[in-house]
Amino acid sequence: MSQSHPRISKAVIPAAGLGTRFLPATKATPKEMLPVVDKPAIQYVVEEAVSAGLDDVLMVTGRNKRPLEDHFDRNYELESALQKKGDAGRLAKVQESSDLATMHYVRQGDPKGLGHAVLCAAPHVGDEPFAVLLGDDLIDPRDPLLQRMIDVQQEHGGSVIALMEVAPEQIHLYGSAAVETTTDADVVKVSGLVEKPAAEDAPSHYAIIGRYVLDPAVFGILRETEPGRGGEIQLTDALQQLAADEKIGGPVHGVVFKGRRYDTGDRGDYLRAIVRLACEREDLGPDFRTWLQRYVTEEMQQR
């Protein structure tokens, strides 16, 4: 029989990174504000949280991240100008971001890693489970990963992480999970985690991607977690402790995701994400796909 667990209502979005892989574009512009077609990447993430019923969103920011706050705030001058022009379509798009969710902000201060960023959310989250969404992973809204993770957490309690099977030569780019099967085809029990292991040391080919539903017990562990790989406080290290001892904060499960994911974490994948999303847009896709096919054909002929 399934158990009843506290309802999840809050989402945490770490957004304090420097975005060094996208310099010089991110010298004065937060990487989260880089456009994916015609919306900043961070808006896709907030929309995903809201679609899963999480309309209380805390963004963990750092220095030079004020544009994030401005984007989700009202811009009365712009709205007034669009109203005077009678441009209802663009006005709706401008107002959409400010009406999405109840937004809160806290600064991380020192960039001490993802685990430290999550710990900064403790006063806001309190003693209830919460979701963490990383801005580098955009999940297609037609494949509701976060909602499935919330459902699993509501059934089993504890924490839930998102997993995706990757090629062995790619596992060193991710955290890797040791897993056991369950009665649900897309759900596994997590017995251990390793941050960015060598291929020969990885417990599986299941990589941790940027979605988590966490028990608040993780805060107590993070307060005691020493810097790990890269000299940073790793969330993976804290989750390893939760997986090793269910008495701390319940079990750790994983949802194996096989849907559409757009990785904006590096320049090549960022460009591929834009192309894929543009191709699927009803307003842009038909003309763009025609141009793209012609362009690729011509390029191949010239090489």
Side-chain angles (χ1 to χ4, degrees):
M1 181 180 297
S2 63
Q3 300 178 4
S4 176
H5 298 282
R7 177 180 174 272
I8 299 170
S9 63
K10 296 177 180 177
V12 175
I13 303 177
L18 298 176
T20 53
R21 287 179 289 182
F22 283 86
L23 286 169
T26 50
K27 179 180 179 181
T29 302
K31 69 172 183 175
E32 296 84 5
M33 289 300 298
L34 295 179
V36 180
V37 188
D38 54 4
K39 283 193 297 190
I42 194 67
Q43 184 170 333
Y44 288 89
V45 179
V46 174
E47 288 173 348
E48 181 186 350
V50 172
S51 294
L54 312 182
D55 57 3
D56 184 323
V57 178
L58 175 69
M59 203 166 291
V60 184
T61 66
R63 286 180 290 275
N64 302 321
K65 298 286 185 168
R66 181 61 185 270
L68 292 170
E69 299 183 34
D70 291 341
H71 179 71
F72 292 101
D73 199 357
R74 297 292 296 274
N75 186 328
Y76 293 102
E77 294 83 358
L78 178 58
E79 291 177 27
S80 177
L82 292 171
Q83 283 178 332
K84 290 177 181 178
K85 290 182 178 180
D87 195 339
R90 288 189 173 88
L91 177 61
K93 289 182 178 180
V94 168
Q95 292 176 331
E96 181 182 13
S97 59
S98 57
D99 295 336
L100 268 175
T102 301
M103 302 294 298
H104 309 270
Y105 304 90
V106 63
R107 284 200 174 191
Q108 185 177 3
D110 296 327
K112 297 179 181 178
L114 176 58
H116 181 258
V118 171
L119 184 57
C120 290
H124 180 77
V125 169
D127 189 26
E128 60 183 88
F130 62 104
V132 175
L133 298 87
L134 304 189
D136 287 347
D137 285 329
L138 305 187
I139 304 299
D140 195 294
R142 294 167 293 184
D143 302 312
L145 169 62
L146 184 59
Q147 183 60 63
R148 175 58 174 151
M149 295 173 67
I150 291 172
D151 292 344
V152 171
Q153 197 279 336
Q154 293 289 278
E155 180 179 357
H156 298 286
S159 298
V160 181
I161 62 177
L163 300 173
M164 177 174 277
E165 194 165 10
V166 300
E169 61 271 17
Q170 293 182 317
I171 197 65
H172 72 282
L173 300 172
Y174 301 87
S176 176
V179 303
E180 304 166 5
T181 59
T182 71
T183 54
D184 292 317
D186 64 334
V187 178
V188 294
K189 179 79 174 294
V190 177
S191 57
L193 302 104
V194 181
E195 179 66 17
K196 296 183 178 179
E200 61 272 17
D201 298 325
S204 75
H205 297 155
Y206 285 117
I208 305 169
I209 58 175
R211 298 294 181 270
Y212 308 82
V213 176
L214 301 177
D215 186 275
V218 74
F219 292 133
I221 297 175
L222 286 170
R223 291 187 183 98
E224 304 298 326
T225 299
E226 296 293 328
R229 189 176 182 89
E232 297 181 336
I233 297 174
Q234 298 289 349
L235 179 59
T236 303
D237 293 342
L239 288 169
Q240 162 60 28
Q241 292 191 45
L242 288 175
D245 187 354
E246 293 186 15
K247 296 178 182 178
I248 299 175
V252 177
H253 285 87
V255 170
V256 180
F257 183 62
K258 296 182 180 180
R260 287 157 285 200
R261 166 180 173 255
Y262 310 106
D263 185 355
T264 61
D266 65 52
R267 292 168 298 176
D269 285 332
Y270 170 74
L271 293 173
R272 283 185 280 273
I274 292 174
V275 171
R276 289 173 64 186
L277 285 168
C279 284
E280 295 179 3
R281 286 268 294 260
E282 291 184 2
D283 56 338
L284 297 174
D287 288 342
F288 184 69
R289 288 193 300 269
T290 299
W291 172 85
L292 184 62
Q293 186 176 31
R294 184 171 64 249
Y295 172 76
V296 171
T297 301
E298 292 173 354
E299 282 292 302
M300 292 298 293
Q301 290 175 347
Q302 294 175 11
R303 294 180 182 275

